[in-house]
Amino acid sequence: MDAQHVALLRELLASTPWLERTEDFAHALRRTRDPGGLMLIGTPEDEPWHLAAHLDDEARYSGLSQLAPSLVRWEPPPDAPDHLRIGLDRIAQARRGETLFVVNSEEQAPVPLLERVDDARRTGATVLSLDHGDGELTSLAHESISLRPGREPLTFEGLQHLVSSAAGHEDAGGGRKPGLRERLSRFLDVVSGPRMPD
């Protein structure tokens, strides 16, 4: 999903609570103090590579270096490059001012993940979760954003794109939200391409 599609998705969701929710969540991500302080972890079966790449891009484009995540892996291969060899011991070193961002695409987080999250919280790290309404994970998180499959107007991947995009763009605040006609006009412009003058 490129920036144009994310912008279109944002416009289509403008009348729903999703934009405000993702912007609030993104604000929590931006509170990470230092570069390297944002740890991103998934489950042993599903590492959030795609989200890590988008957050890295947003960090570069926005100049907010603290958004570049350290992808924490369950079993990193010893011959992997340094940035892909970050293991679970990184969570044990978490401290106040750092953020553990947990992405769980399953209905329930595995117990080993919940234990690591609890450890990070006890050492003072801020815990954020993006999930499918996992009650245990949500109870450990300082901030969470949950998507209930089949009941929301976007996909789990779409939600990740909204969060990463919002993280890199400070909300100007106080701006008027576009009305239905403006959103539909913008949608038609995107779908049909640029207008050529006669």
Side-chain angles (χ1 to χ4, degrees), residues 1 24-25 47 55 74 79 87 89 107 141 150-151 154 162 172 187 192:
M1 187 177 287
D24 288 346
F25 191 83
E47 294 179 330
L55 284 170
W74 288 84
D79 59 343
D89 56 331
E107 286 185 25
R151 292 201 271 172
L154 71 163
L162 284 178
F187 171 75
S192 64

Side-chain angles (χ1 to χ4, degrees), residues 3 9 16 22 32 40 43 47 49 69 80-81 87 99 107 115 123 128 149 152 181-182 188 191 193 196 198:
L9 181 59
T16 73
T22 55
T32 304
L40 179 63
T43 64
E47 294 179 330
W49 293 90
T99 302
E107 286 185 25
E115 291 171 347
T123 61
L128 306 177
E152 307 294 355
R181 283 187 183 191
E182 292 170 87
L188 292 173
V191 170
M196 303 304 276
D198 294 329

